Amino acid sequence: MNGMDARPFSDEEKRGVYRAIHERRDVRGQFIADPIPADVLGRILNAAHHAPSVGFMQPWDFVVIEDANVRRSVYENFERTNRCAAGAYQGDERDAYQRMKLAGILESPVNICITCDRGRELGRGLGRQTDPATDLYSTVCAVQNLWLAARAEGLGVGWVSILNFDELKALLGIPERHTPVAYLCVGYVSEFRPRPDLEENGWEQRQALSALLHFDAWANRDERRSAALMEGC
């Protein structure tokens, strides 16, 4: 039986993979109205469907939302939920929160809700017997695959987590045993920002990888080994 080519990617191919990873952004405010061709949308959905899944369970489904009225209803859900979320912050932090644009539901031409079927029998329970949450983790892998494929296609993606998900399930008619994992806004953009929006806005900074490395046990830190790993980054 012939397998896939086991040779390493060429330098150019590797640059493409790492470019997609490092230039991926959570897009909120740079969407433009250009439609997404069906073949492009199909490719990024197929990339999501080829994500790794524990036990090969493939627990995901994809609700593709283009109807403006449906997106308007989802946006109203976001607005109500966001007002409540803002109440968790006080003073300058609340002002900073309210200044940020946190969703591109209406501006993006396509929204995609990726769900996890918590009762899907594919995979016959392999891996889930010891960790029942692996179906959710597998679905997140599908989200990441879609995000990276979208970046390679020149599409921006924004993940909207500030929603009332019970209302969202009712609006989209999602069956009870399916859990919405990610609500994504997808479309072409005017630009990809050099840094994540939250970093540019001063909300949070990226931690140094070296500060998060442990060797063989949690308590073991090794600055020399960490530095050696960082040389390839």
Side-chain angles (χ1 to χ4, degrees), residues 213-228:
L213 291 174
H214 313 259
F215 297 93
D216 300 319
W218 187 270
N220 293 343
R221 303 281 194 165
D222 188 324
E223 292 184 6
R224 186 173 58 182
R225 291 178 69 184
S226 295

Side-chain angles (χ1 to χ4, degrees), residues 15 41 88:
R15 281 194 295 271
L41 183 58

Side-chain angles (χ1 to χ4, degrees), residues 149-225:
R151 181 62 187 89
E153 296 281 1
L155 293 168
V157 176
W159 187 331
V160 184
S161 58
I162 306 170
L163 293 167
N164 180 312
F165 285 95
D166 289 334
E167 289 184 13
L168 181 69
K169 287 182 71 169
L171 173 65
L172 301 181
I174 295 171
E176 179 60 31
R177 76 179 196 183
H178 292 250
T179 297
V181 170
Y183 192 91
L184 306 176
C185 308
V186 185
Y188 291 105
V189 297
S190 58
E191 64 174 342
F192 288 96
R193 299 296 301 158
R195 294 188 297 161
D197 282 0
L198 294 180
E199 188 174 15
E200 287 194 335
N201 289 327
W203 187 260
E204 195 53 85
Q205 299 298 312
R206 188 182 303 280
Q207 295 189 69
L209 175 58
S210 58
L212 307 174
L213 291 174
H214 313 259
F215 297 93
D216 300 319
W218 187 270
N220 293 343
R221 303 281 194 165
D222 188 324
E223 292 184 6
R224 186 173 58 182
R225 291 178 69 184

